[in-house]
């Protein structure tokens, strides 16, 4: 009998970038080996791809929600494995991250079914079916407002509807600039989210030499007073340097009542932080403690000054003064710095002062940058400041699971404390 044509269905064909898709293949021969591939391009045209090996069941069908991959870029039952394992294609520069620079346009991912099992990087067999998926970072009706409010810069994302909505300030790390995709996804989930750059954007300082907390205070006051924002307080979420700024904001600014620290340090680092007459000196990186692998990857894990050294006590953020609540998110295999230790130090400090206003999410096998779900895992990434590849740590599957689990918990935490 003539063989049926294979078909591939990915649903929804267009949906939020942080939600799962269902991927099903039909019309194969029973037990037929196939390679599934995903291909996407970033805003600059750099190509990313991933692949996994599957076998059709006795009906000639495949469902990525229940069927295991036997090889390729991941193994096991991973409904979103093709998405979180996307990595720069062979001809591209390595160590690049696939994150959207603009949230207005969807990320288009082509999913292909090839005959046979072809290893990553090899020429795949003939295509028997394909489909395009659009991953949306901004839901219909979400408004993006570019901000020039006093000294404050950034983008405010407002959910559809009248509100008022819980308000959240969102910050990333020492790469600088404006990174919006987490804010736009938070707005998709009902938060008024302010994506806040603090250097290397428009007329902000080019480099992070020193920071004034007054800038962040002005941002918090702007958001708190916005007619679409529910009071009385606002929340803040940050990664890396942004996480540490989140801890300083909730400590010193009464407007901030909830802080999510992702892979943060419990002391101030790199740039001195000023607030009125007060200064928290920044812990420094000792470049002599950096090791470089044979392939030229920098490991900076041991390089930051030790926050437990009494000589560095002035850099410690006095988080016990905070009236609000903390959610600390860490990957236990973070190689950027010792975020698990820093979370322990923070919790120890709170407990010492009789406080239990914190939750800890600690993920074995996760690396430094824990982003919203299905953000492609990047164990080593180009550091924009140093211009070299830096080890972020983590193992792809464990990291992907940490991203998915923490994202739900982060939203629950913010809703709980911001109403």
């Amino acid at each position: 009998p003539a063989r049926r044509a294979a078909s591939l269905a990915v649903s929804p064909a267009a949906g939020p970038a942080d939600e799962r898709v269902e991927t099903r293949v039909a019309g194969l021969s029973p037990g037929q080996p196939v390679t599934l591939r995903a291909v996407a391009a970033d805003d600059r045209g750099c190509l990313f791809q991933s692949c996994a090996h599957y076998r059709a069941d006795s009906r000639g069908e495949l469902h990525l929600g229940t069927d295991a991959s036997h090889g390729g870029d991941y193994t096991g039952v991973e409904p979103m494995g093709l998405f979180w394992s996307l990595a720069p294609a062979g001809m591209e520069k390595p160590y690049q991250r696939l994150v959207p620079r603009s949230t207005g346009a969807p990320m288009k991912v082509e999913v292909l079914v090839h005959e046979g099992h072809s290893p990553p990087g090899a020429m795949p067999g003939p295509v028997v079916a394909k489909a395009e998926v659009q991953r949306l970072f901004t839901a219909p009706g979400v408004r993006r407002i570019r901000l020039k409010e006093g000294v404050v810069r950034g983008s405010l994302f407002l959910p559809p509807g009248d509100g008022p909505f819980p308000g959240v300030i969102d910050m990333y790390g020492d790469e600088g600039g404006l990174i919006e995709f987490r804010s736009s996804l938070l707005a998709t989930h009902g938060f008024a989210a302010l994506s806040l750059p603090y250097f290397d954007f428009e007329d902000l300082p080019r480099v992070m030499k020193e920071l004034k907390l007054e800038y962040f205070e002005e941002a918090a006051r702007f958001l708190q007073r916005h007619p679409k924002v529910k009071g009385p307080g606002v929340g803040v979420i940050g990664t890396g340097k942004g996480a540490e700024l989140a801890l300083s904001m909730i400590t010193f600014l009464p407007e901030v009542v909830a802080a999510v620290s992702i892979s943060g340090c419990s002391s101030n680092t790199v740039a001195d932080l000023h607030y009125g007459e007060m200064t928290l000196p920044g812990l420094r990186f000792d470049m002599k403690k950096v090791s470089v692998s044979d392939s030229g990857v920098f490991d900076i894990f041991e390089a930051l000054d030790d926050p437990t050294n009494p000589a560095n006590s002035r850099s410690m953020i006095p988080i016990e003064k905070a009236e609000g609540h903390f959610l600390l998110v860490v990957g236990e295999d973070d190689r950027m710095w010792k975020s698990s230790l820093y979370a322990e130090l923070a919790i120890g400090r709170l407990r010492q002062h009789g406080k239990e206003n914190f939750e800890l999410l600690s993920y074995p096998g996760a690396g430094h940058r824990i982003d919203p779900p299905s953000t492609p895992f990047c164990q080593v990434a180009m550091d924009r400041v140093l211009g070299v590849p830096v080890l972020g740590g983590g193992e792809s599957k464990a990291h992907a699971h940490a991203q998915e689990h923490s994202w739900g918990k982060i939203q629950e935490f913010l809703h709980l404390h911001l109403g």
Side-chain angles (χ1 to χ4, degrees):
R3 219 172 85 189
R4 290 181 297 159
S7 65
L8 169 66
V10 187
S11 61
D18 57 346
E19 289 184 10
R20 282 187 177 192
V21 294
E22 287 245 329
T23 306
R24 293 175 184 271
V25 186
L28 300 170
S29 310
Q32 184 180 342
V34 288
T35 297
L36 265 70
R37 275 175 76 230
V39 182
D42 69 7
D43 314 43
R44 292 164 302 186
C46 170
L47 210 60
F48 290 75
Q49 58 185 15
S50 61
C51 77
H53 301 159
Y54 289 91
R55 279 190 187 278
D57 65 15
S58 57
R59 297 189 308 277
E61 294 176 1
L62 257 185
H63 179 216
L64 267 56
T66 51
D67 293 326
S69 161
H70 305 293
D73 291 319
Y74 61 90
T75 56
V77 178
E78 294 294 335
M80 296 302 291
L82 287 171
F83 293 82
W84 53 249
S85 61
L86 283 162
M91 73 288 249
E92 301 288 359
K93 282 189 194 142
Y95 313 134
Q96 300 191 71
R97 284 188 191 285
L98 179 55
V99 288
R101 283 164 189 270
S102 118
T103 55
M107 183 184 289
K108 293 177 180 170
V109 182
E110 189 168 37
V111 181
L112 305 109
V113 183
H114 297 267
E115 279 180 19
H117 286 166
S118 44
M123 275 298 287
V127 175
V128 295
K130 61 181 181 177
E132 189 185 80
V133 192
Q134 297 196 0
R135 308 287 281 159
L136 310 173
F137 289 90
T138 309
V142 167
R143 285 196 300 148
R144 173 180 178 266
I145 300 156
R146 281 302 298 280
L147 215 61
K148 271 198 166 174
E149 191 68 35
V151 295
V152 178
R153 301 291 173 264
S155 296
L156 177 63
F157 290 87
L158 293 174
D162 295 335
F165 309 104
V168 181
I169 292 171
D170 175 28
M171 298 176 295
Y172 270 91
D174 60 8
E175 63 268 55
L178 178 66
I179 300 174
E180 299 177 316
F181 74 102
R182 184 165 60 194
S183 304
S184 63
L185 287 172
L186 283 168
T188 295
H189 289 283
F191 294 93
L194 169 56
S195 183
L196 186 69
Y198 46 95
F199 74 103
D200 196 21
F201 180 71
E202 290 184 353
D203 54 357
L204 296 175
R206 293 288 303 153
V207 292
M208 189 172 59
K209 276 209 176 74
E210 50 182 0
L211 294 166
K212 288 187 163 61
L213 198 62
E214 282 83 356
Y215 173 78
F216 302 91
E217 182 174 51
E218 197 170 321
R221 286 181 175 165
F222 163 80
L223 190 62
Q224 185 197 31
R225 292 171 184 161
H226 194 282
K228 291 271 187 188
V229 172
K230 208 189 257 192
V234 297
V236 58
I237 178 172
T239 298
K241 178 67 189 176
E244 168 203 310
L245 285 164
L247 296 182
S248 290
M249 287 170 75
I250 192 171
T251 297
F252 297 109
L253 310 179
E255 295 84 0
V256 178
V257 299
V260 180
S261 160
I262 301 171
S263 310
C265 184
S266 46
S267 290
N268 186 54
T269 68
V270 185
D272 293 356
L273 181 69
H274 306 285
Y275 186 45
E277 300 294 298
M278 181 208 73
T279 297
L280 292 184
L283 298 180
R284 301 293 187 231
F285 280 96
D286 178 354
M287 295 314 277
K288 292 195 287 293
K289 291 184 179 167
V290 173
S291 62
V292 186
S293 75
D294 294 342
S295 57
V297 173
F298 282 59
D299 184 341
I300 63 174
F301 187 66
E302 296 289 347
L304 186 68
D305 289 345
D306 179 4
T308 64
N309 181 338
N312 296 323
S313 62
R314 287 181 52 235
S315 299
M316 184 69 81
I317 303 163
I319 56 173
E320 69 279 359
K321 293 181 175 172
E323 295 296 323
H325 289 81
F326 297 89
L327 178 62
L328 308 171
V329 182
V330 295
E332 292 172 21
D333 193 30
D334 183 350
R335 294 293 303 175
M336 193 70 79
W337 59 13
K338 302 174 183 180
S339 52
S340 287
L341 167 68
Y342 305 151
E344 275 173 43
L345 293 174
I347 287 169
R349 193 170 176 115
L350 291 169
R351 286 205 162 125
Q352 209 181 324
H353 289 84
K355 297 208 153 184
E356 290 290 332
N357 54 342
F358 63 87
E359 280 175 73
L360 172 67
L361 298 174
S362 184
Y363 295 101
H368 180 69
R369 202 167 129 159
I370 298 172
D371 274 327
S374 305
T375 302
F377 171 67
C378 197
Q379 190 183 45
V380 175
M382 246 337 157
D383 187 281
R384 224 188 49 84
V385 183
L386 301 172
V388 296
V390 172
L391 183 61
E395 180 278 310
S396 59
K397 191 187 290 195
H399 191 90
H401 293 178
Q403 292 193 147
E404 184 152 357
H405 183 264
S406 61
W407 186 235
K409 291 289 184 190
I410 286 166
Q411 292 173 58
E412 276 173 33
F413 169 84
L414 291 171
H415 275 301
L416 177 66
H417 298 294
L418 303 176

